[in-house]
């Protein structure tokens, strides 16, 4: 990443990085700017893949309401879902209604259909399920039929029916196509897989996001649980205290959100105690580049 | 083009194992004591399949309610909301119910019990009584066990057992959906890291092998 790219990221991120190990912890949860608008959003969001696909079960929905309540109580904002996630959008909409649509909600979902013509209908169905007047962010899911969908989303943004436009991929796939979209289209967000093990995006996608002023959402921060299951068999290294981490979840998430070009990570969980751990990653000192490298090497050695 | 090599089996799973198991608890709570009726029908089918009894295809009528119940109450109401595969499987189970009814409605079709009757009866017994209870040692709550007639796995296995006991049926056609479901279910359970779920496809494959090895040397008479 060159100096120009680095400066494009925004003052708040630089300030949090400059704090480094041993520096005074910033006050309040970490919020990072969306480059295209300057609006700040909490650095830890919430994914809904699997965890909120629970159908109509009243008992489980009540438990997930506790998870969602905890998310907002700890400064959460972005909830990310998709029509591909089964009942997740319906569950999220139901639970947001029970919580009276907490202040700070940043609603993010996706359009996922192979036909551009079907996009508007699917988006309207998602909007009804969520019960929101308009979405904050709509993303083309996994680059499926991305040209017609991006045209739809950009037209919605122009007419004030949508605030931000994005595109997603995962598992490190189609980064070449993603780069093309990031270069050629005026998108606000890009979403891809990034964690301490899956770091392909560090080569081209994250620098390009910084250069083009595109917010970056990191999905699969725990590799759907497999990564955290693996590292939790080992003790937390003592140097994790240098970035105020008391658990592996916090350390793995801080690795992600401390990258200057990352706007937020979206871990998914179905448990209140794990949500509390996740949200703690927005507090205290963030790892500096040396500590980030140390974590990469440490996880690689496990 | 999508690079499928980047996916693991678990990446296709849309729900948590707890969520899947919970669907059976909700199903059982909502429909009890319908289980008793469906088991009585299964018992009646097994009785009609006892040795030395010349069969007609009417025995298949007894399986039709089980497939229809699986399609509607489990696959449509419970599974489809949490899985993109739910609606296609609902259609296939409904089709299987129709196929069984169509074959059962042929009064001219007379059947005899072939050499595969014994493995067939064993498979029916396994499907009705053993397979549902295997969840217990695996830690599943008794309220969430999978019972014949409402849960797809034991229903498919019992149907394969019935097909094994009879000769003169369009067996390959009638076995297609049960076999396919058992394979699909086994992969789902593998993705959920619940290896006991692979017993259903293993039993189904064993049934198919038994049919092939024993059925090919059975007397050719029977259907008329």
């Amino acid at each position: 990443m060159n100096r120009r790219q680095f400066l494009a990221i925004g003052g708040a991120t630089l300030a949090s990085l400059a704090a480094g190990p041993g520096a005074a912890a910033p006050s309040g949860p970490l919020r990072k700017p969306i480059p295209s608008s300057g609006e700040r959003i909490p650095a830890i969001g919430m994914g809904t893949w699997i965890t909120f696909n629970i159908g109509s079960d009243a008992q489980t929905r009540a438990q997930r309401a506790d998870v969602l309540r905890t998310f907002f109580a700890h400064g959460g904002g972005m909830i990310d879902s998709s029509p591909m996630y089964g009942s997740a959008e319906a569950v999220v909409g139901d639970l947001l209604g029970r919580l009276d649509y907490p202040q700070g909600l940043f609603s993010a979902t996706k359009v996922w259909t192979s036909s551009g013509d079907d996009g508007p209908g699917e988006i309207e169905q998602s909007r009804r399920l969520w019960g929101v007047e308009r979405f904050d962010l709509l993303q083309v899911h996994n680059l499926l039929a991305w040209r017609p969908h991006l045209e739809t989303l950009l037209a919605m943004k122009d007419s004030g029916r949508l605030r931000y436009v994005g595109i997603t991929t995962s598992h490190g796939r189609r980064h070449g196509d993603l780069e093309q979209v990031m270069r050629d289209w005026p998108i606000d967000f890009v979403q891809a897989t990034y964690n301490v093990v899956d770091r392909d995006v560090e080569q081209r996608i994250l620098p390009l996001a910084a250069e083009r002023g595109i917010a970056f959402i990191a999905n699969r921060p725990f590799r759907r649980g497999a990564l955290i299951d693996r590292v939790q068999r080992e003790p937390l290294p003592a140097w994790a205290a240098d970035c105020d981490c008391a658990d592996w979840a916090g350390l793995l998430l801080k690795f992600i959100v401390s990258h200057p070009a990352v706007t937020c990570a979206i871990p998914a969980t179905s448990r209140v105690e794990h949500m509390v751990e996740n949200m703690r990653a927005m507090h205290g000192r963030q790892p500096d580049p040396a500590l980030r490298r140390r974590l990469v090497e440490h996880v690689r050695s496990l | 083009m999508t690079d499928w090599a980047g996916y693991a089996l678990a990446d296709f799973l849309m729900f948590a194992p707890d969520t899947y198991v919970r669907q059976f608890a909700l199903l059982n709570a909502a429909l009890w004591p319908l289980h008793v009726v469906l088991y009585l029908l299964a018992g009646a089918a097994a009785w009609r399949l006892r040795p030395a009894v010349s069969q007609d295809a009417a025995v298949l009528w007894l399986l039709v309610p089980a497939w229809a119940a699986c399609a509607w109450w489990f696959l449509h109401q419970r599974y489809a909301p949490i899985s993109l595969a739910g609606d296609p499987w609902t259609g296939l189970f409904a089709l299987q119910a129709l196929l069984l009814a169509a074959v059962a409605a042929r009064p001219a079709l007379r059947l005899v019990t072939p050499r595969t009757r014994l493995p067939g009866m064993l498979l029916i017994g396994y499907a009705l009584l053993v397979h549902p209870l295997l969840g217990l040692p695996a830690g599943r709550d008794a309220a969430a066990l999978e019972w014949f007639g409402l849960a797809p796995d034991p229903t498919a296995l019992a149907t394969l057992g019935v097909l094994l006991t009879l000769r003169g049926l369009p067996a390959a056609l009638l076995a297609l959906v049960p076999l396919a479901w058992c394979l699909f279910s086994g992969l789902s359970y593998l993705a959920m890291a619940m290896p006991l779920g692979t017993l259903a496809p293993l039993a189904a494959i064993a049934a198919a092998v038994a049919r092939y090895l024993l059925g090919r040397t059975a007397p050719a008479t029977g259907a008329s």
Side-chain angles (χ1 to χ4, degrees), chain B residues 12-198:
Chain B
F12 294 96
L13 198 65
M14 296 178 58
F15 42 77
D18 289 354
T19 300
Y20 188 63
V21 171
R22 177 83 178 141
Q23 303 313 308
F24 293 105
L26 295 167
L27 180 80
N28 291 334
L31 295 176
W32 176 259
L34 183 61
H35 307 63
V36 177
V37 177
L38 292 164
Y39 265 74
L40 286 174
L41 290 176
W47 178 253
R48 284 183 64 92
L49 293 169
R50 66 192 185 278
V53 176
S54 179
Q55 300 292 332
D56 60 37
V59 66
L60 299 180
W61 278 119
L62 298 169
L63 295 173
V64 173
W67 282 85
C70 277
W72 180 254
W73 278 305
F74 180 75
L75 292 167
H76 175 68
Q77 293 197 341
R78 293 282 162 208
Y79 189 60
I82 62 167
S83 173
L84 296 173
D87 284 334
W89 278 114
T90 299
L92 287 171
F93 270 57
L95 176 66
Q96 178 75 7
L98 290 173
L99 281 174
L100 287 166
V103 175
R106 294 173 60 192
L109 188 62
R110 303 296 300 176
L111 310 166
V112 295
T113 51
R115 297 177 187 184
T116 47
R117 187 189 60 78
L118 179 60
M121 294 300 285
L122 287 173
L123 186 54
I124 292 170
Y126 171 80
L128 295 180
L129 303 172
V130 180
H131 192 80
L133 297 173
L134 285 178
L136 291 176
R140 189 182 290 206
D141 192 285
L145 294 177
E146 299 177 36
W147 297 104
F148 166 82
L150 293 172
D153 283 19
T155 304
L157 288 176
T159 301
L160 290 172
V162 170
L163 297 179
L164 268 181
T165 64
L166 301 171
R167 186 174 172 82
L169 287 170
L173 179 67
L174 292 175
L176 215 53
V177 174
L179 279 171
W181 170 265
C182 287
L183 293 175
F184 175 81
S185 175
L187 289 173
S188 299
Y189 273 114
L190 270 183
M192 289 188 277
M194 298 168 78
L196 268 182
T198 57

Side-chain angles (χ1 to χ4, degrees), chain A residues 122-140:
Chain A
E122 186 184 74
I123 291 166
E124 178 56 19
Q125 168 74 1
S126 293
R127 193 194 64 77
R128 279 199 294 265
L129 289 171
W130 280 66
V132 294
E133 192 172 324
R134 65 174 180 172
F135 283 110
D136 292 301
L137 168 62
L138 276 169
Q139 306 152 98
V140 180

Side-chain angles (χ1 to χ4, degrees), chain A residues 228-239:
Chain A
I228 200 159
D229 287 347
R230 178 178 139 211
V231 298
Q232 275 180 337
R233 291 196 287 264
E234 306 295 332
L236 189 70
W239 42 262

